[in-house]
Amino acid sequence: MIWDFEFTGRILPDLLGGLWVTVQLTVIGYLIALSLGLAVAVVRRVRVVGPIVHGVMEFIRTTPLLVQAVFVFALVPPEISAFTVGVVVLGVHYAAYTAEVYRSGIEGVAKGQWEAARALSLPVSRTWGAIVLPQAIRKVIPALGNYLIAMFKDTPLLFAITVVELLATAQRIGAAEFRYTETITLAGLLFLLVSIPSAILIRRLERRYAAV
């Protein structure tokens, strides 16, 4: 029998547990990437520390996520869980990309907006919070959304540091039961169950927030 439905029903709860870990990694890592990326994009405009921050982000962007995860996991104390290491590495890695997205949005704000803020003697915090960032972020929402899906698909790499997410769970069950057809197929379907609605949402955001 090619497909065992009884076996499928028996392993589905474990695979859903792995999917839950994958979703947690993606959501928490994405929130880190969004907030840290925004901070980096703003700090990069500071003359003294900007070049240093840019250099660090370039190093992170040009080295593989898998290498970063293994390196950090080998350095941290054993008290820190693999999940914590994985979610932080994911967030910091993708912050290097979201920072570039934010930077493009900030540079897209019309020069007259900055000049008007200076002419009105607005404080820096109000210039950024009320004028620059609302315009910049609106323009880059679709691009930021694409990194959510990319991060979701990169979570299996964290199996290298013993994070048991969806694919790792499928591989573990397949090895224990000597059945990979059901486990890997279900894992793929569960990935699609999350990624397809996310892609549809991102396309809607692209239509709604397309820069004019």
Side-chain angles (χ1 to χ4, degrees):
M1 186 175 182
I2 298 178
W3 189 274
D4 189 335
F5 288 96
E6 186 276 332
F7 176 66
T8 300
R10 183 154 47 88
I11 67 173
L12 186 57
D14 288 338
L15 292 177
L16 290 174
L19 177 63
W20 173 237
V21 174
T22 296
V23 170
Q24 286 180 298
L25 287 167
T26 304
V27 172
I28 300 173
Y30 189 61
L31 292 176
I32 293 173
L34 290 180
S35 54
L36 181 59
L38 179 58
V40 168
V42 174
V43 171
R44 277 191 56 182
R45 298 181 67 88
V46 180
R47 290 183 180 178
V48 179
V49 297
I52 299 175
V53 172
H54 174 66
V56 172
M57 290 296 106
E58 281 298 303
F59 174 79
I60 292 174
R61 282 204 310 153
T62 53
T63 52
L65 173 61
L66 179 59
V67 174
Q68 294 171 12
V70 173
F71 180 76
V72 174
F73 187 65
L75 291 181
V76 299
E79 294 78 17
I80 300 178
S81 68
F83 179 91
T84 301
V85 173
V87 78
V88 170
V89 170
L90 265 179
V92 173
H93 182 81
Y94 274 90
Y97 294 94
T98 59
E100 288 299 306
V101 174
Y102 284 125
R103 181 190 60 79
S104 66
I106 291 170
E107 292 181 352
V109 176
K111 185 179 179 181
Q113 300 284 329
W114 296 90
E115 294 173 346
R118 285 194 293 269
L120 294 171
S121 299
L122 294 179
V124 174
S125 59
R126 185 160 179 78
T127 299
W128 280 95
I131 298 175
V132 177
L133 291 183
Q135 297 180 69
I137 293 176
R138 180 184 177 90
K139 294 179 180 179
V140 300
I141 284 178
L144 293 174
N146 291 330
Y147 285 118
L148 175 63
I149 296 178
M151 183 182 291
F152 179 68
K153 293 189 296 184
D154 274 349
T155 54
L157 295 175
L158 299 180
F159 177 61
I161 60 171
T162 71
V163 177
V164 185
E165 39 66 63
L166 176 55
L167 184 59
T169 302
Q171 291 175 328
R172 176 179 57 81
I173 296 173
E177 301 286 344
F178 299 103
R179 294 194 67 95
Y180 286 94
T181 301
E182 294 88 349
T183 53
I184 299 302
T185 301
L186 283 176
L189 291 175
L190 289 174
F191 269 108
L192 289 175
L193 183 66
V194 176
S195 60
I196 289 178
S198 300
I200 293 172
L201 176 61
I202 290 169
R203 282 198 295 270
R204 290 182 178 178
L205 290 174
E206 288 176 350
R207 289 194 294 267
R208 181 171 180 177
Y209 293 105
V212 295

